[in-house]
Amino acid sequence: MNYQDLAKLIIDKVGGEKNVKSLTHCATRLRFNLKDDQNTDEQSLKNTSGIMGVVNKGGQYQVIIGSDVGNVYKEIVKQTNISSEREEEKTEDKRSTFAKVIDVITGIFTPILPAITAAGMLKAVLSLLVVFKVLTTESQSYQIMNFMADAAFYFLPILLAASSAQKFKANMFLAMMVGGILLHPNFAAMVTAAKESGAAIQLFGLPISAVSYSSSVIPIILSVWFMSYVEPLADKVSPKAIKFFSKPLITIFIVGTVSLVVLGPIGYMISDAISNGITALESVSPWIVPLLVGTFTPLLVATGTHYGLVPIGINNRMTTGYDTVIYPGMLASNVSQGAAAIGVGIKTKDSSVKQLAFSAGLTGLFGITEPALYGVNLRYKTPLYAAMIGGAAGGLFMGIFRTRNFSGGSPGLLTLPSYIGDNTLSFFYYACIGAAISIIVTFIATLILYKDPVAEETSENVSSDSTTTKNTKVNFSGASIISPLQGTLHNLKQVDDGMFSEEILGQGVAIEPSEGKVVSPVNGTISAVFDSKHAIGITSDDGIELLIHVGIDTVQLNGEGYEYSVEKDQKVQIGDKLIEFDLKGIKAKGFKTITPVVITNSAELGDILIANEGAITFSEEIIKVMK
């Protein structure tokens, strides 16, 4: 599917353009604000090729695309008017306060991350040049590169003013003007003079705190939020004949004054309090926060709330010059996600999973974890646990040694130079060691915990004297698979079990049985039987490996209601009875009886054609395997 088709499908499945209030994107996700998140077809989105997953958390409807998200976003913008400024319908926002706050933070900080990342990496390169004596701090080249890197940090209030205005629906250029007021050189000179002389700064008798707002975060956000209320009032009270002049005049005068007198100092105090709180926590137990961040960041990423940590890390760097809690912990977590996926890639025997795991794992090591998280780790669970263990280990190490991050960026191996600063490589070494600990611990834990789904089920349920036969070499020009049950044929995606619906075990169909009998769909050999008798494996004479799994989670019945009619290694013909089961009794116990019929060696075969959904009998063809 191309970007154009994918964009069109996504808009349709999120309820159409009229259901979208706003749209932005980060490194891997489309982030929708929807008017009604119940008016979506989430299952269709999840089942669409090119979409890794869907998350409805933190006040946003997030469609995970991966590294191609920018191209899909551009196509959506081309096809719709979603990105343009327009009057939106007033709808009741039923989200929780927490969801609203996370949505605001995400919307403000996501657009400015490229500038912050560029500045951070430029700072890291400059630090390397100084450490290896390519440049000196007195050289003009150093000074020019330094102010180039400092630009995004120093003028951070103006960048935040622009993104905040978009989020709060205020005029972007007036908001940037407020940022300019807080940063104006004349005001900075007045602040310096006031600090030196102890004299007060006043505006019509109103006291203005002698505070510098360069590199600050909270003051400008509060100011633009305040502007979003002042601007409509200014529009209302301005005479129509002079509104073009009076509206911006009233807005800037009120917002500028309140920002300098009230909101700026309040924001500064909040920033200072956060910084002092982190410092106090460090003095008691410096390892606690990096340990927690390293452990639980995957869960925050899964819910889309990890951007709530970003402002804390930025605030720490802006107030103290470095961050020792958020970014080191996220570094440990991100590389662990990548290592877990690579561990799956090494251990799995499924070629399609192997390819996905290696690709997503490398991306995770470099700081973009969504492909690894959604494509592999959450999918199989045990790699996620391994990543949390490794993230905790790396976060603990970096917390104990108070590893300092000086310039941010997307936490991963590519941003390790952002730990170079204070004219030393010590923190860079600590970050490298912490990342290595995370990778090694996660990798080992993954190799221990992860098992391929088929192998895992077999090891838990096959009797001690039963083992699956070795794969038979597939060599045929084509083969048919007859229905092993009578009932209703469904697409495999209708099965409420990710192992089957996501085709992790292989391609196939599902049948809702109307009779409690399973017959052989092929001529072949019984290759696997189970103590619970709820499933059976068959290898056809053509080398097709089939798994018939009667019901979902029915292994919990421990064989109650099931009876085998064949034994392992027994030869069978099409139509031979394999299993009898108590259809009504299984349903009465609350279990679903829909039965997946899966080709577990799908990757080794040619095209697999599936019959249309509907009523099916024992004698009808359900799958056609082509050469």
Side-chain angles (χ1 to χ4, degrees), residues 403-422:
T403 305
R404 298 179 180 181
N405 177 276
F406 296 95
S407 53
S410 181
L413 297 183
L414 290 180
T415 56
L416 283 174
S418 65
Y419 293 84
I420 299 173
D422 289 351

Side-chain angles (χ1 to χ4, degrees), residues 552-595:
I552 303 302
D553 294 328
T554 46
V555 65
Q556 299 177 28
L557 292 173
N558 295 317
E560 183 180 353
Y562 291 91
E563 192 63 46
Y564 277 136
S565 300
V566 291
E567 298 177 350
K568 184 178 179 299
D569 296 329
Q570 180 177 328
K571 290 283 187 179
V572 292
Q573 300 295 315
I574 292 176
D576 289 351
K577 185 166 63 176
L578 305 180
I579 303 174
E580 284 189 316
F581 58 96
D582 182 0
L583 182 62
K584 293 183 179 179
I586 294 170
K587 287 183 176 180
K589 290 181 172 61
F591 291 91
K592 297 179 179 180
T593 56
I594 189 168
T595 300

Side-chain angles (χ1 to χ4, degrees), residues 82-100:
I82 289 175
S83 63
S84 62
E85 295 184 7
R86 64 187 191 275
E87 192 68 26
E88 295 176 349
E89 298 177 9
K90 299 294 183 180
T91 56
E92 182 182 359
D93 194 341
K94 299 180 180 180
R95 297 175 299 171
S96 66
T97 300
F98 176 75
K100 293 176 183 177

Side-chain angles (χ1 to χ4, degrees), residues 119-129 407 415-420:
M121 292 308 296
L122 192 55
K123 276 278 190 181
V125 171
L126 190 58
S127 296
L128 281 173
L129 295 176
S407 53
T415 56
L416 283 174
S418 65
Y419 293 84
I420 299 173

Side-chain angles (χ1 to χ4, degrees), residues 365-421:
L365 290 177
F366 295 147
I368 305 298
T369 61
E370 279 88 344
L373 180 63
Y374 289 100
V376 180
N377 299 342
L378 275 175
R379 187 177 178 183
Y380 300 115
K381 301 297 188 299
T382 51
L384 175 64
Y385 306 148
M388 294 175 71
I389 294 170
L396 176 62
F397 173 86
M398 286 187 276
I400 291 174
F401 286 89
R402 299 192 178 188
T403 305
R404 298 179 180 181
N405 177 276
F406 296 95
S407 53
S410 181
L413 297 183
L414 290 180
T415 56
L416 283 174
S418 65
Y419 293 84
I420 299 173

